Amino acid sequence: MSTPDVDVDVNQNQNQNKNVKAEDILCPLAEYEECDFSKLLEKPRLLNIDRQRSLDERSLSELSIGISPRHATRAIDPNSSRFFEQLDYICSPVGRRSGFSTPRSQIGFDPHPMVAEAWEALRRSLVYFRGQPVGTIAALDNTEENLNYDQVFVRDFVPSALAFLMNGEPEIVKNFILKTLRLQSWEKKIDRFQLGEGVMPASFKVLHDPVRNNETLIADFGESAIGRVAPVDSGFWWIILLRAYTKSTGDTSLAELPECQKGMRLILSLCLSEGFDTFPTLLCADGCCMIDRRMGVYGYPIEIQALFFMALRCALLLLKQDDEGKEFIERIAKRLHALSYHMRSYFWLDLKQLNDIYRFKTEEYSHTAVNKFNVMPDSLPEWVFDFMPVYGGYFIGNVSPARMDFRWFCLGNCIAILSSLATPEQSTAIMDLIESRWEELVGEMPLKVCYPAMETHEWRIITGCDPKNTRWSYHNGGSWPVLLWLLTAACVKTGRPQIARRAIEIAEARLLKDHWPEYYDGKLGRYIGKQSRKAQTWSIAGYLVAKMMLEDPSHLGMIAIEEDKQMKPILRRSNSWTL
């Protein structure tokens, strides 16, 4: 392994960056506004920037020569004014900053009592490297063996980072981005096999040497993980977080650093590489994302595909239009067109589509086949017929040859809404499903990571008899409070804040009293998880982000991207909203 010294000469990089010409940048990062959320506040936070045409509103075909969306002629034109009316419904009357029990709190604002406790707990979780905060550890539970809960995880830090950004404390996020960027450049070998250069670590740990009075970083790229699986999602979360930092601060210098530009290109090189696959989705192993144990999500899991889509859209906004950047911009644009069509067509499920699959013919050959993946109708699980409401729909867990995983996965569907992988109509249908199946998906503690749980013989075969993923526990139908922030962001984007408020109220009744557990067990999430860590940092941060986003919906802009209206294909699948 390379030297653990990961210091970045930030000043040198910034000085070099001052010489970058304006014309070398695709679009000044502080200038893009997917939609001007600050218009919804009476006193919006102002950035010293000029507002120009949103890069997100530009057709992807404008950025790639020769691309013509094949299925845009009959697409429904979304009513953006209605979106703002819905969002305005939950806007606070004054444009205050999201500061709870901090110097940024406004006089007269009376937050929930547990908010102050949450901020105190979040700050206790901070990890310092050579005097600078660089992340938050996974959990502060001293009653259990640490295992890897004393490390800084890339995916776990995202809600913490958003909380600090919303509270006007971006420095820790900047430090985290730079440190993980340097870790990416390390040589990565597992059992004599070298991983791709662009792989981001799953986590890292600060080691203190009291004898030499020195600190070093140790990263885990999967060589220490359960199952020894490299994290596919870490690189995507890193790009998403870089955009969130840029959107929140208006500071383009970080993303424009040559190191950050190279880091993005390395990540993109891994996932945009050509091979034997006939699908635009990413082929992945079990355990490569939040569900980091064997749970039958191998193949093309919805979580990875949604994060892939969102990371591509963020990279499109962040990459500079230099010689290297232009090549990636064109490749991204082509992939986004193919990926959005594939996901919206084949992963989408509603009542009409369920009935169509039920009547599928098999062994169809040639391009005229309706059952393109040769899915056997007898493989449809019984539960899905009762679970599917008349109005509503969702992106199923997986689609591959002769296999459709009909399970609901929360993170993938919420990211699909936030990234606009889901059309406005599909986003509405997803929220309809959550409301219709409230007891199953929310119950007594938000929010089911997946539904339903696997049991008996199916559980033994698919999980390998995993004692932590027994039915209605952990990843197998457990309830995870961290998902509150994703649900809230999706609710704000779709103009359904009442759903988020109801879920947050349920969580507030128990989270602090239960000491911020990692997850809950049972069909309704009634019990603290049997192996759940207490003082779980992302449970704390997820709650804070949800509260702050409801207080100030303009924060949605750092994590959500509006739809590219000219990228919408004709959906040859059924749409529940037409029923």
Side-chain angles (χ1 to χ4, degrees), residues 280-282 300-309 336-349 394-399 412 416 421-422 426 569 571 573:
T281 42
L282 282 183
Y300 305 92
I302 180 60
E303 177 176 334
I304 290 298
Q305 312 314 320
L307 286 172
F308 179 34
F309 183 88
L336 282 172
H337 280 288
L339 184 60
S340 62
Y341 176 76
H342 184 90
M343 296 298 297
R344 293 170 180 178
S345 299
Y346 303 118
F347 275 68
W348 181 253
L349 186 73
Y394 64 103
F395 289 97
I396 63 175
N398 221 315
V399 175
L421 170 60
Q426 287 174 334
L571 297 183
R573 303 290 177 171

Side-chain angles (χ1 to χ4, degrees), residues 142-417:
N142 297 321
T143 64
E144 299 282 349
E145 183 184 357
N146 277 334
L147 294 178
N148 56 357
Y149 283 81
D150 61 346
Q151 298 186 25
V152 180
F153 282 81
V154 173
R155 76 174 67 95
D156 290 39
F157 180 67
V158 171
S160 297
L162 295 177
F164 286 118
L165 287 174
M166 291 178 181
N167 201 48
E169 302 177 61
E171 198 61 29
I172 179 178
V173 182
K174 183 175 183 178
N175 294 338
F176 172 85
I177 289 172
L178 290 172
K179 295 305 177 190
T180 48
L181 182 63
R182 287 302 300 269
L183 293 174
Q184 181 197 38
S185 65
W186 284 11
E187 184 182 55
K188 300 171 277 288
K189 280 189 177 181
I190 299 179
D191 292 337
R192 302 181 182 181
F193 179 73
Q194 186 163 325
L195 277 67
E197 190 179 0
V199 173
M200 278 286 181
S203 63
F204 65 86
K205 184 176 182 178
V206 178
L207 293 182
H208 303 269
D209 186 345
V211 177
R212 297 182 179 180
N213 193 27
N214 189 28
E215 293 180 338
T216 57
L217 294 180
I218 299 296
D220 176 19
F221 293 94
E223 68 269 29
S224 300
I226 295 174
R228 300 302 189 265
V229 178
V232 177
D233 62 337
S234 290
F236 298 151
W237 280 123
W238 186 88
I239 293 175
I240 293 167
L241 188 56
L242 179 60
R243 174 191 172 267
Y245 172 89
T246 305
K247 280 286 294 184
S248 176
T249 63
D251 175 18
T252 68
S253 62
L254 180 61
E256 291 169 4
L257 287 175
E259 292 85 354
C260 283
Q261 292 287 312
K262 181 182 178 182
M264 280 189 286
R265 292 196 300 268
L266 288 175
I267 295 169
L268 295 171
S269 294
L270 285 177
C271 55
L272 294 176
S273 59
E274 297 174 348
F276 288 99
D277 211 328
T278 59
F279 313 136
T281 42
L282 282 183
L283 182 63
C284 301
D286 248 335
C288 64
C289 52
M290 176 183 176
I291 298 177
D292 58 1
R293 299 164 80 99
R294 181 175 165 188
M295 270 287 291
V297 299
Y298 62 90
Y300 305 92
I302 180 60
E303 177 176 334
I304 290 298
Q305 312 314 320
L307 286 172
F308 179 34
F309 183 88
M310 189 167 194
L312 288 179
R313 294 206 63 191
C314 290
L316 197 62
L317 299 167
L318 298 171
L319 284 170
K320 294 165 60 177
Q321 201 173 18
D322 51 20
D323 290 340
E324 293 178 293
K326 284 181 180 179
E327 175 191 352
F328 280 96
I329 288 168
E330 182 171 342
R331 292 171 66 187
I332 289 171
K334 291 180 180 179
R335 191 63 167 263
L336 282 172
H337 280 288
L339 184 60
S340 62
Y341 176 76
H342 184 90
M343 296 298 297
R344 293 170 180 178
S345 299
Y346 303 118
F347 275 68
W348 181 253
L349 186 73
D350 56 24
L351 186 60
K352 178 63 167 59
Q353 175 60 13
L354 180 59
N355 204 149
D356 290 345
I357 297 172
Y358 179 70
R359 292 168 51 82
F360 266 171
K361 292 179 174 61
T362 59
E363 305 300 326
E364 292 185 296
Y365 183 76
S366 88
H367 64 276
T368 60
V370 176
N371 185 2
K372 294 185 178 181
F373 300 98
N374 198 35
V375 174
M376 306 300 165
D378 288 344
S379 68
L380 281 164
E382 292 184 7
W383 64 265
V384 75
F385 294 99
D386 294 327
F387 181 70
M388 180 61 67
V390 175
Y391 298 100
Y394 64 103
F395 289 97
I396 63 175
N398 221 315
V399 175
S400 57
R403 179 192 180 212
M404 296 183 79
D405 183 349
F406 291 92
R407 284 178 294 175
W408 152 271
F409 288 89
C410 179
L411 193 152
N413 276 272
C414 287
I415 291 294
I417 292 175

Side-chain angles (χ1 to χ4, degrees), residues 41 43-47 92 94-106 109 162-170 247-249 548 551-552 554-555 558:
L41 304 175
K43 299 178 181 179
R45 173 171 169 252
L46 298 178
L47 300 176
S92 48
V94 293
R96 56 178 174 260
R97 284 299 312 225
S98 294
F100 296 107
S101 300
T102 72
R104 292 176 177 79
S105 293
Q106 300 295 314
F109 176 58
L162 295 177
F164 286 118
L165 287 174
M166 291 178 181
N167 201 48
E169 302 177 61
K247 280 286 294 184
S248 176
T249 63
M548 285 190 282
E551 177 212 349
D552 184 353
S554 68
H555 288 312
M558 74 172 72

